[in-house]
Amino acid sequence: MATNEATVQWLGKRQEFDYADGVAGYVMVGVRLIVGYWFLHAGWGKLVAGEPFDAAGYLQHAETPIAPLFELVAGTPWLLEFTNVMIPLGEFCIGLGLIVGALVRLAAFFGGVLMVLFYLGNADWANGYVNGDLLGLLMFVLVGVFAAGRLLGVDAYLEETEFVRQRPWLGYLLG
């Protein structure tokens, strides 16, 4: 298994810690698997539904701070079709990547992008600003920041390959 040390700079002070040997590593694996199942299940349900996924009605009628973006997507046929394919496929691939621990930071990034769009798209904040979409975004941030794919995931093995060692920038996608 790869080394699981992290260095953070907080308020001008560098702090190093190893999270693989303690409970934190297992918690991150649990969070990664739960969020992965959540998105895999959401995407799979849309992919195998009796009717194809269609976001048009939602995009056209959402009362949200990003309504102009949603209206643009709904009013542009190719962009709407792209959205209708990419939401279920993206959710499924993000979930699969998190479950197997492959390209976890990339999956966490795109999961975070979706959660921001879902959060702003479901802008019914009558009960406060903290809701499931915001907490989902937080989970993706944690999984990506702590490189949860390095713990019991494929990314730990990918990082040891010569291909990745020759291309250090791939480390930003793995983990």
Side-chain angles (χ1 to χ4, degrees):
M1 188 181 304
T3 302
N4 297 303
E5 295 177 359
T7 303
V8 295
Q9 189 154 344
W10 185 256
L11 301 173
K13 181 180 177 187
R14 291 177 61 89
Q15 179 67 45
E16 295 184 16
F17 61 96
D18 180 15
Y19 60 91
D21 294 332
V23 174
Y26 296 106
V27 169
M28 287 313 306
V29 170
V31 169
R32 188 189 87 212
L33 293 174
I34 290 168
V35 173
Y37 174 78
W38 174 34
F39 260 58
L40 184 83
H41 185 267
W44 183 251
K46 291 176 181 80
L47 288 170
V48 300
E51 297 180 18
F53 176 75
D54 186 15
Y58 170 75
L59 293 171
Q60 290 169 344
H61 300 97
E63 295 181 18
T64 169
I66 57 173
L69 173 65
F70 283 6
E71 291 167 4
L72 173 72
V73 172
T76 309
W78 71 267
L79 196 51
L80 178 61
E81 191 56 37
F82 180 76
T83 301
N84 288 338
V85 170
M86 290 310 296
I87 292 292
L89 188 60
E91 286 177 339
F92 181 81
C93 290
I94 289 167
L96 184 63
L98 293 181
I99 287 174
V100 299
L103 300 174
V104 167
R105 284 190 171 149
L106 183 64
F109 171 78
F110 283 111
V113 168
L114 282 178
M115 293 312 301
V116 167
L117 292 172
F118 295 163
Y119 179 73
L120 293 174
N122 297 323
D124 179 19
W125 296 314
N127 295 318
Y129 294 114
V130 177
N131 60 25
D133 294 328
L134 184 61
L135 295 178
L137 172 60
L138 177 62
M139 293 299 105
F140 277 114
V141 168
L142 290 174
V143 166
V145 166
F146 288 109
R150 292 179 180 155
L151 302 169
L152 303 176
V154 173
D155 282 349
Y157 301 105
L158 292 176
E159 288 179 343
E160 300 298 324
T161 66
E162 191 63 32
F163 183 81
V164 172
R165 287 183 189 196
Q166 291 176 356
R167 295 159 186 86
W169 61 270
L170 287 174
Y172 293 111
L173 305 178
L174 303 173

